[in-house]
């Protein structure tokens, strides 16, 4: 080939990058290595932002949360076999949470993998990914990269969003083809997540049910947050006058301080409601499957808004299914909140309001104690004020007690500002979500982490320092999982749930050039977090919490099986 002819060629590397760019993908989260090291380098050279992590699961979590925040698939790039498997955990988690994400993994020689001849990092990745995500594709020819990427994007964001696996064997990257033909082979995905309009009959059915309700309740889930139909949702809630209850990641869709919020009267609202309108929230374990003690003895009728038809009747009968995208469905409902609409009975609204105020008043003194050592309430009281003063900051939250108590105590004021453990209640999302949120939004991020939860992704503090991200991490350090008080009954080892007592997580941050702070009182915590968030510098605050504070598994201790022959 003479040099002029060489100019006319493109290859798999460049086609992948061009296909992503053509479809508006601006960032790749990943970990470099064989066979995708050069792909990352070239992507960076071509203007894509490439964020390199220390472990693929965290890169995958960053991509997943990017998908949730932007409605575009977050892209995670990994090496083959072990790197792929690490990323797959995040892909499965994204799929479970209905976040759009694409995991792109390099893979080994097909001919050797399929004959199981023992290649470097040999694994049939496509087969393994398939049951754990929404869709999985493999591209073998450079000319098919455009279609492969287009299919991955459409699968990730259309209908119920989810994770997609894209398998790219090493050989594909160096396959060359004519540059012009290559450019023509690329596909720009048009209307990747088309609106899905509910049927008029379904809207009538739902409106009839709502009009007959004496104790109506709206439950907003993270699907509603994802949909970015904030104004339609606010108009519906305010014009209908129905009390609303946000699920964890829907907090802030309407402010938690909104007069119609039933957040602090959750138990009462769920028990006593007669007609419940679910908006992008599933009746899974987080809502006690729509039955049992949580929901009281009185009969319930459910209306459910969801883009996934098969979600209906998954746990209990849905009297009025509203299948469609949340923006279109809520707009259709809004068109029916007219002169004939009557606000819910004052008695119901008042019952929720008074319960809520009583609960808030009961909680208030616990949040104000300036105690040393801190307990969860006093520490969270300080952080509640930090977020109140910075309503556009993003709160990442994980841990057991740290999660359950923060969810109730820290009010959210704007949509999509609370990112947490989601549908699986999984630990380990912390640093991945923090990086993804900071990169995608440029807003200050506050990650409130149990010391145990932090451990799953803690090495990414180096990533946070390297990219100089505006992330403040607060470790609620009570020396262990749930509590720091377990002992080994035989006296040989530390108890199974405890860590090194008095560990100084703040020093980890200093090792990488970030700011480390050690605090022991709520006042100190408030000052340190405020200063960190104002500075925008990567900061880790080690907040010492009483090792005896905290309950087993936080709010969900009842999920622990009990031994009938336990030693006394
Ligand atoms: P939460 O945990 O907050 O209750 P879930 O994850 O259980 O929320 O439920 C989210 C639901 O939202 C899923 O069933 C998903 O299909 C649905 N969903 C996601 N995006 C949309 C959308 N744009 N329109 C309608 N439904 C959506
Ligand atoms: Mg702990």
């Amino acid at each position: 080939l003479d040099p002029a002819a060489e100019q006319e060629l493109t290859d798999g590397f460049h086609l992948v990058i061009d296909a992503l760019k053509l479809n508006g993908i601006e960032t790749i989260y990943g970990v470099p290595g064989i066979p995708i090291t050069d792909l990352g380098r070239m992507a960076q050279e071509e203007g894509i932002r490439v964020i390199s992590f220390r472990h693929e699961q965290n890169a995958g979590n960053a991509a997943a949360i990017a998908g949730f925040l932007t409605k575009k698939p977050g892209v995670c790039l990994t090496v083959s076999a072990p790197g792929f498997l690490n990323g797959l955990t995040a892909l499965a988690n994204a799929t479970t949470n209905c976040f759009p994400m694409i995991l792109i993994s390099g893979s080994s020689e097909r001919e050797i993998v399929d004959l199981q001849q023992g290649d470097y990092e040999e694994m049939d990745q496509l087969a393994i990914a398939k049951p754990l995500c929404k869709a999985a594709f493999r591209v073998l020819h450079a000319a098919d990269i455009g279609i492969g990427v287009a299919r991955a994007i459409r699968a990730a964001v259309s209908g119920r969003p989810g994770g997609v696996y894209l398998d790219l064997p090493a050989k594909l990257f160096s396959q060359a083809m004519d540059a012009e033909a290559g450019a023509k082979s690329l596909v720009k995905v048009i209307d990747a997540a088309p609106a899905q309009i509910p049927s008029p009959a379904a809207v009538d059915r739902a409106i009839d049910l709502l009009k007959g309700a004496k104790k109506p309740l709206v439950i907003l889930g993270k699907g509603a947050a994802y949909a970015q139909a904030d104004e339609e949702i606010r108009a519906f809630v305010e014009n209908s006058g129905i009390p609303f209850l946000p699920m964890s990641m829907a907090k802030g869709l309407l402010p938690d301080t909104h007069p119609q919020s039933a957040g602090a009267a959750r138990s009462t609202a769920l028990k006593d409601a007669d007609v419940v309108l679910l908006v992008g929230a599933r009746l899974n374990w987080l809502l006690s499957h729509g039955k049992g003690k949580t929901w009281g003895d009185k009969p319930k009728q459910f209306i459910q808004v969801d883009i996934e038809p098969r979600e209906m009747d998954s746990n209990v009968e849905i009297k009025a299914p509203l299948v469609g995208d949340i923006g279109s469905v809520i707009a259709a409902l809004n068109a029916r909140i007219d002169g004939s609409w009557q606000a819910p009975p004052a008695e119901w609204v008042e019952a929720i309001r008074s319960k809520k105020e009583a609960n808030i008043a009961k909680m208030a003194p616990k949040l104000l104690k300036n105690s040393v050592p801190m307990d969860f309430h006093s520490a969270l009281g300080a952080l509640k004020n930090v977020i109140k003063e910075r309503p556009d900051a993003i709160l990442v939250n994980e841990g057991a007690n740290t999660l359950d108590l923060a969810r109730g105590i820290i009010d959210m004021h704007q949509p999509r500002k609370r990112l947490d453990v989601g549908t699986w209640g999984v630990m380990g999302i912390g640093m991945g979500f923090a990086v993804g949120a900071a990169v995608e939004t440029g807003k200050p991020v506050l990650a409130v982490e149990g010391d145990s939860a932090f451990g799953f992704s803690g090495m990414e503090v180096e990533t946070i320092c390297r990219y100089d991200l505006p992330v403040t991490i607060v470790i609620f350090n009570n020396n262990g999982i749930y509590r720091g008080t377990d002992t080994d009954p035989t006296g040989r080892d530390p108890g199974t749930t405890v860590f090194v007592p008095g560990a100084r997580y703040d020093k980890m941050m200093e090792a990488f050039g970030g700011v480390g702070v050690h605090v022991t009182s709520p006042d100190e915590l408030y000052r340190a977090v405020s200063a960190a968030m104002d500075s925008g510098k990567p900061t880790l605050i080690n907040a010492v919490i009483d090792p005896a504070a905290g309950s087993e598994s936080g709010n969900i201790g009842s999920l622990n099986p009990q031994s009938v022959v336990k030693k006394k």
Side-chain angles (χ1 to χ4, degrees), residues 172 329 334 392:
L172 177 76
V329 174
N334 279 338
D392 68 335

Side-chain angles (χ1 to χ4, degrees), residues 263-274:
R266 187 176 195 270
S267 316
T268 303
L270 294 181
K271 267 201 193 74
D272 294 345
D274 60 357

Side-chain angles (χ1 to χ4, degrees), residues 98 160 221-223 226 247 280-282 284 306-307 324-326 423:
C98 315
R160 169 181 278 172
K222 59 179 163 320
Y226 172 78
M247 299 299 287
R282 287 169 284 186
N284 55 17
D306 206 292
I307 203 156
D325 74 280
I326 285 164
T423 305

Side-chain angles (χ1 to χ4, degrees), residues 57 297 372 380 467 494:
Q57 189 174 314
D297 330 310
V372 177
L380 287 167
Y467 290 94

Side-chain angles (χ1 to χ4, degrees), residues 376 401-402 450-453 476-484 497 499 549:
F376 288 94
N401 293 279
T402 304
D451 52 344
S452 154
F476 275 16
N477 187 357
N478 68 349
N479 289 351
I481 303 172
Y482 311 137
R483 273 184 302 267
T497 63
F499 301 138

